[in-house]
Amino acid sequence: MTTPGPSTDPILDRITAAVGAHRVDGDPRHRDTLVDLWAEITSGGDPFHRCVLAHYIADMVDDPAQALMWDVRALDAADVLDDSRAQAHHVSLQVAAFYPSLHLNIADNLRRLGSFDAAADHLDAARARAGALAGALADLGPEQSGYVEMMTTLIDDIGVLIRDRSSEARSTHPA
């Protein structure tokens, strides 16, 4: 196994640094750093950067309406992203692997906002695309099987909350 060399993607390095720092101390300044970076790359920028950046910002906000806005931006960017651009980051990465999480996050935010029918639609989309996860992540290594299991569990858990018409925040919500 080889150790990855230095990154050649300064935007992704900045995203990774801010997300890592936020995970350590939870300081909202790191989210602000990412929002400023969003303004730099603009809505017409690299779709891989936009998808990753918006996805992480959504995880850093408590307000479900704000998180929904960022999650929709991430989904919109994924829709114009192709595997070749994603594979410039990691040779085995497939855009199909992004969709279950993106739809699940949108479903959870819609649920928290009380829009249960729309939440159910996105949950169905997450469930339909979850089958592609194992194949899309197979080349990334055995540790990814835990991610597939986690996604399956989250889809089931959020499905129960939607069925029960619960808009309560989950205790495991990333923010």
Side-chain angles (χ1 to χ4, degrees):
M1 183 158 93
T2 61
T3 303
S7 171
T8 58
D9 189 334
I11 297 292
L12 200 55
D13 290 345
R14 290 169 63 192
I15 294 169
T16 302
V19 170
H22 185 268
R23 287 181 177 160
V24 169
D25 63 22
D27 191 322
R29 289 178 302 149
H30 305 300
R31 180 191 61 232
D32 296 342
T33 297
L34 293 179
V35 171
D36 291 344
L37 182 55
W38 178 267
E40 282 181 43
I41 65 173
T42 74
S43 61
D46 180 335
F48 182 75
H49 291 151
R50 288 186 294 126
C51 183
V52 171
L53 182 57
H55 182 67
Y56 280 125
I57 294 172
D59 285 348
M60 292 181 174
V61 295
D62 289 321
D63 177 25
Q66 287 182 1
L68 177 62
M69 176 188 72
W70 288 108
D71 283 327
V72 168
R73 287 176 175 168
L75 181 63
D76 287 346
D79 284 342
V80 297
L81 181 60
D82 62 31
D83 284 344
S84 64
R85 173 57 187 103
Q87 289 167 358
H89 172 65
H90 190 286
V91 69
S92 299
L93 203 53
Q94 295 177 22
V95 177
F98 295 8
Y99 283 100
S101 177
L102 295 172
H103 281 290
L104 185 62
N105 289 349
I106 291 172
D108 194 38
N109 288 316
L110 288 166
R111 176 195 66 78
R112 290 177 62 206
L113 293 167
S115 185
F116 298 108
D117 292 340
D121 290 343
H122 278 279
L123 185 72
D124 290 344
R127 187 174 281 120
R129 292 185 171 210
L133 273 177
L137 299 176
D139 292 337
L140 295 177
E143 66 277 1
Q144 296 307 323
S145 65
Y147 180 76
V148 174
E149 291 173 24
M150 177 190 73
M151 287 301 300
T152 302
T153 299
L154 285 171
I155 288 169
D156 292 343
D157 291 351
I158 292 171
V160 169
L161 294 170
I162 292 169
R163 182 200 67 210
D164 292 348
R165 301 290 204 229
S166 171
S167 60
E168 296 299 314
R170 295 179 299 112
S171 63
T172 58
H173 185 271

